[in-house]
Amino acid sequence: MAISEYKGVWVFAEQRGGEILNVSLELLGKGRELADSLGTKLTAVLLGDQVKDIASELIHYGADEVIVVEDKLLKVYMTETYTKVMTKVINERKPDIILMGATAIGRDLAPRVSARIHTGLTADCTSLEIEEDTKNLLMTRPAFGGNIMATIICPDHKPQMSTVRPGVMVKMERDECRSGEIIELSSELTEKDVNVEIIEIVKEEKAKMKIEEAEVLVSGGRGLGKKENFATLELLAKELGGLVSGSRAVVDAGWIDRDYQVGQTGKTVRPNLYIACGISGAIQHVTGMEDSDLIIAINKNSTAPIFEVADVGIVGDVEKVIPAVIEELKAL
Ligand code: FAD
C-alpha cells in the first residue's frame, strides 16, 4: 500500500480503571489541530474491559470517532495483549499519525507497536507540527541532554508515531454538544495470548495531587540551602492553594520526592503561577516550566538565567523574601 493512502490522526486513549488519563485528552487537543491541518479525521482508540461508556468523553474532547475494543483480557494493561490488538487495528485501518502519552504504559507499548508495524517512533516529543509542503509530521524533542532540540521526520514509513510527555499539549474545552461515531471492534484475543499472570495489583498511595495538575506551584532549588527549608515553601504553597515542586538538584539531594521534580527528566508543568525559589534556571529545568502563565523568580544572583524566563524577578535571599511574602498573604 502506498504511504499516501495512510489517513487519519489517531490518539491512543489511555485509561486506568475506566478513567481516561489527562495526557490522552491533551493529545486529542493536539491531534485535533493536526487533523484539521491535514483535512482528515481524529480517531481515539480505547482498549479495555467495559470501557464503551467513557468513549463519548473522548468525543467531547475533540475526537471525530472512537474505536473501542472491549475484552476482559484487556481489563489490565499487559504488553502482549495491548500490542497485539493495537497492531491488528493499525494494520487493518492504516492511520497516518499515531500519538501516545509518554507514560509508563505508552513508553512500553509504542516501541513494540512501531517495531511490529515496521515504522519509526519519536519518543518524548515536546512539539508536533505539520510541515506545509510535504505534510510530514515534524516531531521535536530535546536531545543531547537538552542542549539541542531535534526535529525528526519519518518520511518513508507510515504511520508516523510519537509519544508526548504529560502536560506538554493543551486539551480542548470539553464540549458535550460534540458528536461522533463509536466503532466497536473485536479483539480476537484468546487466553493463549495472555503470557503473564497478575497475582495482585498494589496501588501506590498518592496523598497529594500531581504537580502537572496544580494551578500554583512553589518550586524550590538548591538555593534553599537545606531540606528543612522546604517547610517554608509548604506554607507559601498552602497560602496560595498550590503544591511544592523542585529542581533535580533538590531531588538528587533527597530534599523532595522524585514525583515532584520539574524539568526534562521530571515533569512538564504549565500552572497559572510558578514561583521559582533559589533555582538557577538551567535549560533542563526551564524546558519543564517555561509555558507557565506567570513565572515569579526569587534568586540572590541578579544574573541567574531563571530571570530570563521570569515575568517577575525578585533579587533577594529566599530565607528573607518567602517569609515576608507569607506574612503579606496572611494579612490580606
Ligand atoms: P543550582 O544550579 O545550584 O542553583 C541554585 C540557585 O540558587 C543559584 O542560582 C543561586 O544563585 C541561588 N541561590 C543560592 N542561595 C540562595 C538564597 N539564599 N536565596 C536565593 N537564591 C539563592 N534539572 C532540573 O531541575 N530538572 C530536570 O528535569 C533536569 N534534568 C536534567 C537532565 C540532564 C540530562 C542533565 C545533564 C541535567 C538535568 N538537570 C535537571 C540538572 C540541571 O542541569 C541543573 O543542574 C539543576 O536544574 C540545578 O538545580 P538548581 O537550580 O536547584 O541548583
Side-chain angles (χ1 to χ4, degrees):
M1 183 169 164
I3 58 171
S4 59
E5 289 173 46
Y6 285 72
K7 292 271 181 298
V9 177
W10 282 19
V11 170
F12 171 68
E14 190 174 333
Q15 55 86 21
R16 308 247 169 102
E19 206 172 309
I20 299 160
L21 262 59
N22 232 347
V23 64
S24 303
L25 304 179
E26 292 162 7
L27 289 182
L28 284 175
K30 186 60 185 183
R32 182 72 270 156
E33 212 182 288
L34 300 178
D36 288 346
S37 62
L38 288 168
T40 187
K41 266 190 194 168
L42 175 62
T43 306
V45 186
L46 179 64
L47 273 51
D49 182 30
Q50 298 181 349
V51 287
K52 204 173 89 188
D53 287 353
I54 55 171
S56 53
E57 203 54 23
L58 297 164
I59 292 169
H60 297 156
Y61 277 100
D64 296 309
E65 60 180 25
V66 184
I67 294 176
V68 180
V69 186
E70 283 190 320
D71 193 315
K72 62 178 187 334
L73 299 177
L74 294 171
K75 184 177 169 87
V76 178
Y77 174 79
M78 275 190 254
T79 305
E80 190 49 38
T81 49
Y82 271 62
T83 303
K84 195 163 180 185
V85 173
M86 280 302 285
T87 305
K88 177 180 96 72
V89 182
I90 294 165
N91 280 335
E92 279 169 11
R93 299 188 164 238
K94 313 247 182 273
D96 180 11
I97 293 172
I98 304 176
L99 310 179
M100 294 191 191
T103 59
I105 287 179
R107 284 180 168 153
D108 186 65
L109 181 63
R112 287 177 168 83
V113 170
S114 75
R116 293 215 190 156
I117 59 177
H118 306 295
T119 191
L121 167 70
T122 308
D124 273 352
C125 293
T126 52
S127 156
L128 298 170
E129 301 298 332
I130 301 293
E131 192 177 35
E132 227 175 277
D133 303 339
T134 60
K135 301 293 176 203
N136 283 329
L137 180 64
L138 302 174
M139 300 173 272
T140 304
R141 53 154 297 157
F144 295 107
N147 289 317
I148 62 157
M149 297 304 281
T151 297
I152 295 163
I153 53 169
C154 177
D156 302 325
H157 297 276
K158 289 281 174 90
Q160 305 164 87
M161 284 186 69
S162 159
T163 61
V164 179
R165 282 165 52 166
V168 175
M169 302 302 175
V170 183
K171 64 182 174 192
M172 289 169 62
E173 283 287 313
R174 184 176 183 278
D175 180 359
E176 280 203 37
C177 300
R178 286 188 57 86
S179 60
E181 198 185 347
I182 294 178
I183 305 161
E184 288 182 66
L185 298 179
S186 143
S187 77
E188 290 171 23
L189 290 173
T190 66
E191 293 287 347
K192 281 193 195 144
D193 294 309
V194 181
N195 54 8
V196 173
E197 185 190 352
I198 295 178
I199 298 164
E200 191 187 2
I201 296 175
V202 181
K203 284 205 176 144
E204 192 183 355
E205 291 289 338
K206 293 270 176 195
K208 283 189 174 177
M209 218 176 115
K210 290 181 178 168
I211 58 168
E212 307 94 290
E213 289 163 11
E215 292 189 354
V216 175
L217 284 177
V218 180
S219 213
R222 198 159 18 210
L224 281 183
K226 55 184 178 196
K227 183 177 182 170
E228 291 67 32
N229 286 347
F230 267 79
T232 324
L233 293 195
E234 291 284 356
L235 287 179
L236 179 56
K238 198 171 155 216
E239 283 300 319
L240 296 167
L243 287 184
V244 167
S245 56
S247 67
R248 177 158 141 183
V250 300
V251 170
D252 289 346
W255 296 355
I256 60 165
D257 192 88
R258 194 158 295 280
D259 281 352
Y260 304 106
Q261 181 188 321
V262 172
Q264 188 193 317
T265 42
K267 306 275 168 59
T268 302
V269 297
R270 196 195 285 268
N272 297 339
L273 173 61
Y274 188 89
I275 309 182
C277 311
I279 293 179
S280 58
I283 180 68
Q284 297 89 354
H285 184 84
V286 169
T287 309
M289 45 64 80
E290 62 192 337
D291 288 333
S292 306
D293 287 346
L294 179 68
I295 300 172
I296 301 178
I298 308 167
N299 197 303
K300 69 176 183 186
N301 175 4
S302 64
T303 63
I306 192 71
F307 289 128
E308 287 164 28
V309 288
D311 300 291
V312 178
I314 300 171
V315 180
D317 185 337
V318 282
E319 288 194 46
K320 293 186 182 135
V321 176
I322 298 171
V325 173
I326 296 170
E327 281 312 306
E328 287 294 323
L329 287 169
K330 280 189 171 156
L332 287 176

PDB file of all heavy atoms in Angstrom, residues 197-228:
ATOM      1  N   GLU A 197       0.722 -13.737  34.346  1.00  0.00           N
ATOM      2  CA  GLU A 197      -0.354 -13.894  35.335  1.00  0.00           C
ATOM      3  C   GLU A 197      -0.225 -12.770  36.362  1.00  0.00           C
ATOM      4  O   GLU A 197       0.846 -12.583  36.957  1.00  0.00           O
ATOM      5  CB  GLU A 197      -0.217 -15.254  36.027  1.00  0.00           C
ATOM      6  CG  GLU A 197      -1.365 -15.528  36.979  1.00  0.00           C
ATOM      7  CD  GLU A 197      -1.125 -16.753  37.856  1.00  0.00           C
ATOM      8  OE1 GLU A 197      -0.131 -17.472  37.606  1.00  0.00           O
ATOM      9  OE2 GLU A 197      -1.906 -16.975  38.781  1.00  0.00           O
ATOM     10  N   ILE A 198      -1.305 -12.006  36.528  1.00  0.00           N
ATOM     11  CA  ILE A 198      -1.261 -10.922  37.521  1.00  0.00           C
ATOM     12  C   ILE A 198      -1.754 -11.477  38.847  1.00  0.00           C
ATOM     13  O   ILE A 198      -2.888 -11.949  38.949  1.00  0.00           O
ATOM     14  CB  ILE A 198      -2.086  -9.715  37.064  1.00  0.00           C
ATOM     15  CG1 ILE A 198      -1.422  -9.134  35.815  1.00  0.00           C
ATOM     16  CG2 ILE A 198      -2.193  -8.666  38.159  1.00  0.00           C
ATOM     17  CD1 ILE A 198      -2.114  -7.983  35.202  1.00  0.00           C
ATOM     18  N   ILE A 199      -0.910 -11.463  39.821  1.00  0.00           N
ATOM     19  CA  ILE A 199      -1.269 -12.052  41.126  1.00  0.00           C
ATOM     20  C   ILE A 199      -1.984 -11.019  41.982  1.00  0.00           C
ATOM     21  O   ILE A 199      -2.996 -11.286  42.604  1.00  0.00           O
ATOM     22  CB  ILE A 199      -0.006 -12.591  41.834  1.00  0.00           C
ATOM     23  CG1 ILE A 199       0.583 -13.708  40.953  1.00  0.00           C
ATOM     24  CG2 ILE A 199      -0.313 -13.120  43.237  1.00  0.00           C
ATOM     25  CD1 ILE A 199       1.979 -14.079  41.271  1.00  0.00           C
ATOM     26  N   GLU A 200      -1.463  -9.814  41.994  1.00  0.00           N
ATOM     27  CA  GLU A 200      -2.069  -8.777  42.837  1.00  0.00           C
ATOM     28  C   GLU A 200      -1.709  -7.402  42.274  1.00  0.00           C
ATOM     29  O   GLU A 200      -0.615  -7.224  41.741  1.00  0.00           O
ATOM     30  CB  GLU A 200      -1.489  -8.908  44.251  1.00  0.00           C
ATOM     31  CG  GLU A 200      -2.200  -8.091  45.285  1.00  0.00           C
ATOM     32  CD  GLU A 200      -1.476  -8.124  46.634  1.00  0.00           C
ATOM     33  OE1 GLU A 200      -0.408  -8.759  46.734  1.00  0.00           O
ATOM     34  OE2 GLU A 200      -1.963  -7.482  47.552  1.00  0.00           O
ATOM     35  N   ILE A 201      -2.629  -6.461  42.384  1.00  0.00           N
ATOM     36  CA  ILE A 201      -2.309  -5.083  41.986  1.00  0.00           C
ATOM     37  C   ILE A 201      -2.265  -4.245  43.252  1.00  0.00           C
ATOM     38  O   ILE A 201      -3.254  -4.161  43.977  1.00  0.00           O
ATOM     39  CB  ILE A 201      -3.348  -4.533  40.993  1.00  0.00           C
ATOM     40  CG1 ILE A 201      -3.282  -5.352  39.691  1.00  0.00           C
ATOM     41  CG2 ILE A 201      -3.122  -3.050  40.720  1.00  0.00           C
ATOM     42  CD1 ILE A 201      -4.335  -5.001  38.677  1.00  0.00           C
ATOM     43  N   VAL A 202      -1.125  -3.675  43.527  1.00  0.00           N
ATOM     44  CA  VAL A 202      -0.983  -2.851  44.723  1.00  0.00           C
ATOM     45  C   VAL A 202      -0.916  -1.399  44.272  1.00  0.00           C
ATOM     46  O   VAL A 202      -0.001  -1.015  43.542  1.00  0.00           O
ATOM     47  CB  VAL A 202       0.304  -3.227  45.504  1.00  0.00           C
ATOM     48  CG1 VAL A 202       0.438  -2.388  46.766  1.00  0.00           C
ATOM     49  CG2 VAL A 202       0.309  -4.706  45.824  1.00  0.00           C
ATOM     50  N   LYS A 203      -1.915  -0.627  44.663  1.00  0.00           N
ATOM     51  CA  LYS A 203      -1.957   0.779  44.241  1.00  0.00           C
ATOM     52  C   LYS A 203      -1.085   1.622  45.153  1.00  0.00           C
ATOM     53  O   LYS A 203      -1.192   1.521  46.379  1.00  0.00           O
ATOM     54  CB  LYS A 203      -3.394   1.291  44.265  1.00  0.00           C
ATOM     55  CG  LYS A 203      -4.162   0.779  43.081  1.00  0.00           C
ATOM     56  CD  LYS A 203      -5.318   1.701  42.762  1.00  0.00           C
ATOM     57  CE  LYS A 203      -5.996   1.196  41.511  1.00  0.00           C
ATOM     58  NZ  LYS A 203      -7.412   1.359  41.530  1.00  0.00           N
ATOM     59  N   GLU A 204      -0.237   2.457  44.538  1.00  0.00           N
ATOM     60  CA  GLU A 204       0.609   3.337  45.330  1.00  0.00           C
ATOM     61  C   GLU A 204      -0.270   4.425  45.942  1.00  0.00           C
ATOM     62  O   GLU A 204      -1.112   4.996  45.258  1.00  0.00           O
ATOM     63  CB  GLU A 204       1.653   3.966  44.410  1.00  0.00           C
ATOM     64  CG  GLU A 204       2.763   4.657  45.135  1.00  0.00           C
ATOM     65  CD  GLU A 204       3.726   5.329  44.160  1.00  0.00           C
ATOM     66  OE1 GLU A 204       3.569   5.166  42.939  1.00  0.00           O
ATOM     67  OE2 GLU A 204       4.598   6.034  44.639  1.00  0.00           O
ATOM     68  N   GLU A 205      -0.073   4.659  47.237  1.00  0.00           N
ATOM     69  CA  GLU A 205      -0.852   5.714  47.882  1.00  0.00           C
ATOM     70  C   GLU A 205      -0.299   7.067  47.470  1.00  0.00           C
ATOM     71  O   GLU A 205       0.872   7.359  47.650  1.00  0.00           O
ATOM     72  CB  GLU A 205      -0.736   5.598  49.417  1.00  0.00           C
ATOM     73  CG  GLU A 205      -1.428   4.377  49.990  1.00  0.00           C
ATOM     74  CD  GLU A 205      -2.953   4.468  49.928  1.00  0.00           C
ATOM     75  OE1 GLU A 205      -3.469   5.595  49.846  1.00  0.00           O
ATOM     76  OE2 GLU A 205      -3.603   3.409  49.937  1.00  0.00           O
ATOM     77  N   LYS A 206      -1.123   7.856  46.847  1.00  0.00           N
ATOM     78  CA  LYS A 206      -0.688   9.214  46.471  1.00  0.00           C
ATOM     79  C   LYS A 206      -1.567  10.188  47.234  1.00  0.00           C
ATOM     80  O   LYS A 206      -2.707  10.412  46.876  1.00  0.00           O
ATOM     81  CB  LYS A 206      -0.845   9.440  44.976  1.00  0.00           C
ATOM     82  CG  LYS A 206       0.084   8.582  44.137  1.00  0.00           C
ATOM     83  CD  LYS A 206       1.383   9.306  43.896  1.00  0.00           C
ATOM     84  CE  LYS A 206       2.332   8.384  43.145  1.00  0.00           C
ATOM     85  NZ  LYS A 206       3.683   8.795  43.147  1.00  0.00           N
ATOM     86  N   ALA A 207      -1.009  10.715  48.303  1.00  0.00           N
ATOM     87  CA  ALA A 207      -1.811  11.601  49.129  1.00  0.00           C
ATOM     88  C   ALA A 207      -2.091  12.907  48.409  1.00  0.00           C
ATOM     89  O   ALA A 207      -3.132  13.504  48.530  1.00  0.00           O
ATOM     90  CB  ALA A 207      -1.086  11.861  50.430  1.00  0.00           C
ATOM     91  N   LYS A 208      -1.106  13.336  47.632  1.00  0.00           N
ATOM     92  CA  LYS A 208      -1.214  14.673  47.052  1.00  0.00           C
ATOM     93  C   LYS A 208      -1.640  14.646  45.603  1.00  0.00           C
ATOM     94  O   LYS A 208      -1.533  13.647  44.920  1.00  0.00           O
ATOM     95  CB  LYS A 208       0.154  15.345  47.135  1.00  0.00           C
ATOM     96  CG  LYS A 208       0.484  15.852  48.501  1.00  0.00           C
ATOM     97  CD  LYS A 208       1.723  16.680  48.409  1.00  0.00           C
ATOM     98  CE  LYS A 208       2.032  17.330  49.730  1.00  0.00           C
ATOM     99  NZ  LYS A 208       3.277  18.076  49.677  1.00  0.00           N
ATOM    100  N   MET A 209      -2.082  15.788  45.160  1.00  0.00           N
ATOM    101  CA  MET A 209      -2.382  15.983  43.745  1.00  0.00           C
ATOM    102  C   MET A 209      -1.070  15.927  42.958  1.00  0.00           C
ATOM    103  O   MET A 209      -0.003  16.176  43.504  1.00  0.00           O
ATOM    104  CB  MET A 209      -2.936  17.396  43.618  1.00  0.00           C
ATOM    105  CG  MET A 209      -4.030  17.590  42.677  1.00  0.00           C
ATOM    106  SD  MET A 209      -4.495  19.315  42.899  1.00  0.00           S
ATOM    107  CE  MET A 209      -4.074  19.937  41.317  1.00  0.00           C
ATOM    108  N   LYS A 210      -1.174  15.661  41.671  1.00  0.00           N
ATOM    109  CA  LYS A 210       0.026  15.630  40.839  1.00  0.00           C
ATOM    110  C   LYS A 210       0.445  17.062  40.493  1.00  0.00           C
ATOM    111  O   LYS A 210      -0.423  17.908  40.263  1.00  0.00           O
ATOM    112  CB  LYS A 210      -0.270  14.888  39.544  1.00  0.00           C
ATOM    113  CG  LYS A 210      -0.478  13.421  39.758  1.00  0.00           C
ATOM    114  CD  LYS A 210      -0.744  12.780  38.433  1.00  0.00           C
ATOM    115  CE  LYS A 210      -0.900  11.292  38.613  1.00  0.00           C
ATOM    116  NZ  LYS A 210      -1.434  10.646  37.426  1.00  0.00           N
ATOM    117  N   ILE A 211       1.755  17.291  40.399  1.00  0.00           N
ATOM    118  CA  ILE A 211       2.200  18.665  40.107  1.00  0.00           C
ATOM    119  C   ILE A 211       1.762  19.104  38.709  1.00  0.00           C
ATOM    120  O   ILE A 211       1.553  20.289  38.471  1.00  0.00           O
ATOM    121  CB  ILE A 211       3.727  18.876  40.302  1.00  0.00           C
ATOM    122  CG1 ILE A 211       4.560  17.929  39.437  1.00  0.00           C
ATOM    123  CG2 ILE A 211       4.115  18.771  41.757  1.00  0.00           C
ATOM    124  CD1 ILE A 211       6.037  18.322  39.391  1.00  0.00           C
ATOM    125  N   GLU A 212       1.592  18.131  37.785  1.00  0.00           N
ATOM    126  CA  GLU A 212       1.151  18.505  36.422  1.00  0.00           C
ATOM    127  C   GLU A 212      -0.259  19.084  36.460  1.00  0.00           C
ATOM    128  O   GLU A 212      -0.689  19.732  35.510  1.00  0.00           O
ATOM    129  CB  GLU A 212       1.101  17.302  35.480  1.00  0.00           C
ATOM    130  CG  GLU A 212       2.332  16.456  35.377  1.00  0.00           C
ATOM    131  CD  GLU A 212       2.297  15.290  36.321  1.00  0.00           C
ATOM    132  OE1 GLU A 212       2.402  15.537  37.538  1.00  0.00           O
ATOM    133  OE2 GLU A 212       2.165  14.149  35.863  1.00  0.00           O
ATOM    134  N   GLU A 213      -1.009  18.807  37.520  1.00  0.00           N
ATOM    135  CA  GLU A 213      -2.395  19.270  37.561  1.00  0.00           C
ATOM    136  C   GLU A 213      -2.590  20.493  38.457  1.00  0.00           C
ATOM    137  O   GLU A 213      -3.668  21.066  38.501  1.00  0.00           O
ATOM    138  CB  GLU A 213      -3.289  18.122  38.059  1.00  0.00           C
ATOM    139  CG  GLU A 213      -3.410  17.028  36.994  1.00  0.00           C
ATOM    140  CD  GLU A 213      -3.909  15.706  37.540  1.00  0.00           C
ATOM    141  OE1 GLU A 213      -4.355  15.678  38.705  1.00  0.00           O
ATOM    142  OE2 GLU A 213      -3.837  14.719  36.810  1.00  0.00           O
ATOM    143  N   ALA A 214      -1.538  20.895  39.169  1.00  0.00           N
ATOM    144  CA  ALA A 214      -1.672  22.019  40.108  1.00  0.00           C
ATOM    145  C   ALA A 214      -1.753  23.353  39.365  1.00  0.00           C
ATOM    146  O   ALA A 214      -1.108  23.536  38.332  1.00  0.00           O
ATOM    147  CB  ALA A 214      -0.488  22.036  41.062  1.00  0.00           C
ATOM    148  N   GLU A 215      -2.550  24.264  39.900  1.00  0.00           N
ATOM    149  CA  GLU A 215      -2.654  25.588  39.264  1.00  0.00           C
ATOM    150  C   GLU A 215      -1.575  26.545  39.768  1.00  0.00           C
ATOM    151  O   GLU A 215      -1.249  27.525  39.130  1.00  0.00           O
ATOM    152  CB  GLU A 215      -4.047  26.166  39.515  1.00  0.00           C
ATOM    153  CG  GLU A 215      -5.069  25.361  38.756  1.00  0.00           C
ATOM    154  CD  GLU A 215      -6.444  25.967  38.757  1.00  0.00           C
ATOM    155  OE1 GLU A 215      -6.655  26.972  39.453  1.00  0.00           O
ATOM    156  OE2 GLU A 215      -7.305  25.413  38.059  1.00  0.00           O
ATOM    157  N   VAL A 216      -1.069  26.229  40.978  1.00  0.00           N
ATOM    158  CA  VAL A 216       0.014  27.044  41.537  1.00  0.00           C
ATOM    159  C   VAL A 216       1.124  26.100  41.988  1.00  0.00           C
ATOM    160  O   VAL A 216       0.862  25.110  42.672  1.00  0.00           O
ATOM    161  CB  VAL A 216      -0.484  27.868  42.757  1.00  0.00           C
ATOM    162  CG1 VAL A 216       0.669  28.618  43.406  1.00  0.00           C
ATOM    163  CG2 VAL A 216      -1.588  28.838  42.330  1.00  0.00           C
ATOM    164  N   LEU A 217       2.362  26.398  41.587  1.00  0.00           N
ATOM    165  CA  LEU A 217       3.499  25.601  42.058  1.00  0.00           C
ATOM    166  C   LEU A 217       4.526  26.517  42.696  1.00  0.00           C
ATOM    167  O   LEU A 217       4.902  27.546  42.107  1.00  0.00           O
ATOM    168  CB  LEU A 217       4.151  24.847  40.903  1.00  0.00           C
ATOM    169  CG  LEU A 217       3.441  23.606  40.378  1.00  0.00           C
ATOM    170  CD1 LEU A 217       4.183  23.028  39.183  1.00  0.00           C
ATOM    171  CD2 LEU A 217       3.302  22.540  41.465  1.00  0.00           C
ATOM    172  N   VAL A 218       4.943  26.149  43.900  1.00  0.00           N
ATOM    173  CA  VAL A 218       6.034  26.857  44.559  1.00  0.00           C
ATOM    174  C   VAL A 218       7.210  25.897  44.493  1.00  0.00           C
ATOM    175  O   VAL A 218       7.199  24.836  45.111  1.00  0.00           O
ATOM    176  CB  VAL A 218       5.672  27.210  46.020  1.00  0.00           C
ATOM    177  CG1 VAL A 218       6.828  27.947  46.668  1.00  0.00           C
ATOM    178  CG2 VAL A 218       4.395  28.048  46.066  1.00  0.00           C
ATOM    179  N   SER A 219       8.206  26.254  43.702  1.00  0.00           N
ATOM    180  CA  SER A 219       9.262  25.308  43.379  1.00  0.00           C
ATOM    181  C   SER A 219      10.569  25.717  44.029  1.00  0.00           C
ATOM    182  O   SER A 219      10.967  26.882  43.964  1.00  0.00           O
ATOM    183  CB  SER A 219       9.416  25.299  41.855  1.00  0.00           C
ATOM    184  OG  SER A 219       9.781  24.052  41.396  1.00  0.00           O
ATOM    185  N   GLY A 220      11.230  24.765  44.654  1.00  0.00           N
ATOM    186  CA  GLY A 220      12.460  25.071  45.375  1.00  0.00           C
ATOM    187  C   GLY A 220      13.683  24.480  44.696  1.00  0.00           C
ATOM    188  O   GLY A 220      13.630  23.401  44.106  1.00  0.00           O
ATOM    189  N   GLY A 221      14.791  25.217  44.788  1.00  0.00           N
ATOM    190  CA  GLY A 221      16.053  24.725  44.238  1.00  0.00           C
ATOM    191  C   GLY A 221      17.119  24.654  45.322  1.00  0.00           C
ATOM    192  O   GLY A 221      16.842  24.865  46.506  1.00  0.00           O
ATOM    193  N   ARG A 222      18.352  24.391  44.870  1.00  0.00           N
ATOM    194  CA  ARG A 222      19.460  24.231  45.806  1.00  0.00           C
ATOM    195  C   ARG A 222      19.675  25.481  46.649  1.00  0.00           C
ATOM    196  O   ARG A 222      20.195  25.412  47.767  1.00  0.00           O
ATOM    197  CB  ARG A 222      20.732  23.903  45.013  1.00  0.00           C
ATOM    198  CG  ARG A 222      21.797  23.313  45.864  1.00  0.00           C
ATOM    199  CD  ARG A 222      22.868  22.511  45.167  1.00  0.00           C
ATOM    200  NE  ARG A 222      22.984  22.720  43.739  1.00  0.00           N
ATOM    201  CZ  ARG A 222      23.402  21.756  42.916  1.00  0.00           C
ATOM    202  NH1 ARG A 222      23.711  20.568  43.389  1.00  0.00           N
ATOM    203  NH2 ARG A 222      23.522  22.006  41.618  1.00  0.00           N
ATOM    204  N   GLY A 223      19.221  26.628  46.123  1.00  0.00           N
ATOM    205  CA  GLY A 223      19.366  27.886  46.855  1.00  0.00           C
ATOM    206  C   GLY A 223      18.613  27.909  48.176  1.00  0.00           C
ATOM    207  O   GLY A 223      18.837  28.788  49.014  1.00  0.00           O
ATOM    208  N   LEU A 224      17.735  26.921  48.392  1.00  0.00           N
ATOM    209  CA  LEU A 224      17.032  26.863  49.691  1.00  0.00           C
ATOM    210  C   LEU A 224      17.970  26.440  50.812  1.00  0.00           C
ATOM    211  O   LEU A 224      17.662  26.589  51.990  1.00  0.00           O
ATOM    212  CB  LEU A 224      15.861  25.897  49.619  1.00  0.00           C
ATOM    213  CG  LEU A 224      14.599  26.422  48.950  1.00  0.00           C
ATOM    214  CD1 LEU A 224      13.502  25.396  49.016  1.00  0.00           C
ATOM    215  CD2 LEU A 224      14.123  27.709  49.590  1.00  0.00           C
ATOM    216  N   GLY A 225      19.089  25.846  50.434  1.00  0.00           N
ATOM    217  CA  GLY A 225      20.123  25.543  51.430  1.00  0.00           C
ATOM    218  C   GLY A 225      20.007  24.213  52.100  1.00  0.00           C
ATOM    219  O   GLY A 225      20.988  23.496  52.267  1.00  0.00           O
ATOM    220  N   LYS A 226      18.815  23.843  52.561  1.00  0.00           N
ATOM    221  CA  LYS A 226      18.652  22.556  53.247  1.00  0.00           C
ATOM    222  C   LYS A 226      17.203  22.083  53.171  1.00  0.00           C
ATOM    223  O   LYS A 226      16.282  22.888  52.956  1.00  0.00           O
ATOM    224  CB  LYS A 226      19.112  22.636  54.704  1.00  0.00           C
ATOM    225  CG  LYS A 226      18.452  23.712  55.502  1.00  0.00           C
ATOM    226  CD  LYS A 226      19.039  23.776  56.901  1.00  0.00           C
ATOM    227  CE  LYS A 226      18.351  24.930  57.617  1.00  0.00           C
ATOM    228  NZ  LYS A 226      18.930  25.424  58.780  1.00  0.00           N
ATOM    229  N   LYS A 227      17.052  20.777  53.387  1.00  0.00           N
ATOM    230  CA  LYS A 227      15.742  20.134  53.274  1.00  0.00           C
ATOM    231  C   LYS A 227      14.690  20.821  54.159  1.00  0.00           C
ATOM    232  O   LYS A 227      13.547  21.040  53.749  1.00  0.00           O
ATOM    233  CB  LYS A 227      15.899  18.665  53.674  1.00  0.00           C
ATOM    234  CG  LYS A 227      14.645  17.845  53.547  1.00  0.00           C
ATOM    235  CD  LYS A 227      14.922  16.395  53.893  1.00  0.00           C
ATOM    236  CE  LYS A 227      13.634  15.598  53.709  1.00  0.00           C
ATOM    237  NZ  LYS A 227      13.827  14.175  53.783  1.00  0.00           N
ATOM    238  N   GLU A 228      15.097  21.178  55.376  1.00  0.00           N
ATOM    239  CA  GLU A 228      14.154  21.743  56.352  1.00  0.00           C
ATOM    240  C   GLU A 228      13.483  23.026  55.825  1.00  0.00           C
ATOM    241  O   GLU A 228      12.352  23.344  56.193  1.00  0.00           O
ATOM    242  CB  GLU A 228      14.867  22.048  57.687  1.00  0.00           C
ATOM    243  CG  GLU A 228      15.305  20.821  58.478  1.00  0.00           C
ATOM    244  CD  GLU A 228      16.404  20.007  57.806  1.00  0.00           C
ATOM    245  OE1 GLU A 228      17.240  20.602  57.104  1.00  0.00           O
ATOM    246  OE2 GLU A 228      16.402  18.771  57.955  1.00  0.00           O
TER     247      GLU A 228
END
